[in-house]
Amino acid sequence: IKIIFQKNFKFSFDDLDATNFKYIIRSNLFLVIISLISLLLITNLNFNYSFIAILSVVLSLDKILIIATAILFIFWDKLNLSFKAICLSIILICTTADFLNNSKSSIFYLFLIIIICFFYLKEEIYLNIKVILAASLLLFVSILAYFFALNTLVEMKNIDDLIVFFFSFARRLAFFEFFLDKNNLTLYNDVMSLEYNLKSFVDKITPGFDPYGIPLMKNQLHYLWHYYDGIEYLGTVSEQSTLFAISNRVFGYYFIFYYLVVLYLFKYLFYNLNFLSKELKVICQITVCYLFVTWLDGFGIDYFLMIIFYYAIFLFILFSLTYIQKKI
């Protein structure tokens, strides 16, 4: 993140308009709370309507969490105690709701947003004891979460079991094996293509109907792998292709141009949001950083385009309501 967005990264509050800031922060928090309530209602009422399903994606917990976390950390010195309490409550509700849905991803997502905010606020990053301790803590928490995620499969009886567990954890961090598998097997030829990714993207953004009726590439990769295993799999239903494998499959020897174009677009978008007020620009820039990390994750071009599409809708709703409230 720091290498790509290295210039003028720090946000300045020097010429911040106090009145506009109050309305913007209040309206953002108001929308976040309403969005959270709407999502919880949608989740618990179990509606089967396509519009409700799309609304639940647009107002999903990850978008709510990124807004609340960005407001809390970036504007910490400008927020009074009640606003800080509201942001913390929203963060707690989002992570708790995720845990109640048998997922542990929200805590890592929260860490990611905090790290992005840290890079955003610091003009220069130095490797010091605090950074090392923070990184060690994150690693320790991730190992614990991985262990509890596999608690029905892992038994620690001796040192050999512990070594096997840590090697298993290390393999989850190693993308080279993923790259070789997804880049070389002919099994994935049809799925890891630009045509498939674009069709899948269209399916996911058309409300109420799917023109092509195909799943996201990440889900189809998982199906192909476990279908040939001949087992009934009850865990995660998606699998990474890695950014490198999908780029090589789709663009061949010209993949480097794909990297350069996407990196330029990210950098251009990050530094050219001047039509927004400073407060809203911060939220957009933090979102751009998150989308950049999502692109690096390599879950497919279709998934990446879908995430951009839904975040754009969410931010449009957010800023529109902010503008309306300010006028009122």
Side-chain angles (χ1 to χ4, degrees):
I1 296 173
K2 195 65 179 177
I3 292 173
I4 300 303
F5 310 112
Q6 58 185 327
K7 184 170 64 166
N8 300 323
F9 208 77
K10 185 168 178 167
F11 178 73
S12 174
F13 294 98
D14 295 339
D15 54 349
L16 194 65
D17 185 277
T19 303
N20 288 343
F21 177 79
K22 180 184 69 172
Y23 280 112
I24 288 168
I25 295 299
R26 182 177 297 170
S27 59
N28 285 347
L29 291 176
F30 178 75
L31 177 64
V32 167
I33 294 170
I34 295 298
S35 300
L36 183 57
I37 293 173
S38 300
L39 177 61
L40 293 177
L41 286 174
I42 291 166
T43 306
N44 290 316
L45 291 177
N46 294 320
F47 284 115
N48 293 320
Y49 300 112
S50 57
F51 174 76
I52 299 296
I54 291 175
L55 188 63
S56 68
V57 175
V58 172
L59 303 178
S60 61
L61 288 175
D62 59 332
K63 300 175 186 65
I64 298 167
L65 189 60
I66 193 173
I67 299 298
T69 308
I71 289 175
L72 181 65
F73 280 87
I74 301 297
F75 299 112
W76 178 268
D77 293 334
K78 290 287 182 177
L79 296 177
N80 58 34
L81 186 60
S82 60
F83 275 136
K84 290 177 182 177
I86 292 173
C87 286
L88 286 172
S89 299
I90 292 169
I91 293 171
L92 181 62
I93 291 172
C94 287
T95 52
T96 302
D98 187 56
F99 269 73
L100 292 177
N101 275 335
N102 298 319
S103 173
K104 302 174 182 69
S105 61
S106 61
I107 188 67
F108 299 106
Y109 182 79
L110 177 61
F111 285 153
L112 173 61
I113 303 306
I114 293 174
I115 290 171
I116 290 174
C117 291
F118 174 76
F119 278 108
Y120 191 89
L121 290 172
K122 297 290 184 179
E123 284 187 289
E124 295 184 11
I125 306 296
Y126 295 99
L127 189 64
N128 53 42
I129 189 64
K130 290 182 179 180
V131 174
I132 294 173
L133 288 176
S136 301
L137 176 63
L138 291 178
L139 179 62
F140 178 72
V141 171
S142 65
I143 293 175
L144 280 181
Y146 182 65
F147 173 78
F148 287 119
L150 300 176
N151 58 358
T152 58
L153 304 175
V154 177
E155 293 184 9
M156 296 293 181
K157 295 180 178 179
N158 51 48
I159 189 66
D160 291 333
D161 292 333
L162 184 63
I163 292 173
V164 169
F165 168 75
F166 275 104
F167 270 108
S168 174
F169 179 78
R171 284 196 295 272
R172 291 297 301 271
L173 297 179
F175 285 85
F176 186 59
E177 185 178 347
F178 273 93
F179 167 75
L180 291 177
D181 173 59
K182 300 304 179 293
N183 190 66
N184 296 334
L185 292 185
T186 57
L187 172 68
Y188 306 125
N189 283 348
D190 294 334
V191 178
M192 296 182 67
S193 65
L194 185 60
E195 180 183 4
Y196 183 96
N197 277 259
L198 293 179
K199 287 181 177 179
S200 173
F201 167 65
V202 171
D203 273 355
K204 296 301 170 284
I205 65 171
T206 47
F209 64 97
D210 294 338
Y212 302 103
I214 57 177
L216 288 168
M217 188 197 76
K218 65 185 184 70
N219 302 113
Q220 186 65 8
L221 286 177
H222 181 274
Y223 171 77
L224 290 173
W225 177 264
H226 289 283
Y227 173 78
Y228 282 96
D229 278 349
I231 61 175
E232 184 179 350
Y233 190 75
L234 301 176
T236 306
V237 293
S238 63
E239 189 165 338
Q240 286 173 287
S241 62
T242 77
L243 171 66
F244 314 107
I246 184 65
S247 302
N248 193 42
R249 288 265 198 172
V250 172
F251 301 101
Y253 292 113
Y254 301 100
F255 66 88
I256 188 64
F257 296 106
Y258 169 65
Y259 293 154
L260 292 175
V261 169
V262 174
L263 290 175
Y264 173 78
L265 289 176
F266 268 117
K267 198 163 186 176
Y268 180 84
L269 181 61
F270 186 88
Y271 290 116
N272 289 274
L273 295 168
N274 299 321
F275 59 92
L276 295 172
S277 64
K278 279 197 170 184
E279 300 78 26
L280 300 185
K281 183 179 178 181
V282 168
I283 293 174
C284 277
Q285 287 180 317
I286 295 296
T287 303
V288 168
C289 289
Y290 166 70
L291 292 174
F292 176 66
V293 175
T294 303
W295 177 66
L296 293 177
D297 275 343
F299 277 103
I301 296 174
D302 52 356
Y303 177 76
F304 174 61
L305 293 176
M306 182 189 73
I307 290 294
I308 292 178
F309 181 78
Y310 283 126
Y311 265 89
I313 295 176
F314 177 79
L315 291 177
F316 176 77
I317 295 173
L318 178 69
F319 296 163
S320 296
L321 291 182
T322 298
Y323 178 78
I324 292 171
Q325 188 202 31
K326 184 177 177 182
K327 289 298 181 182
I328 294 175

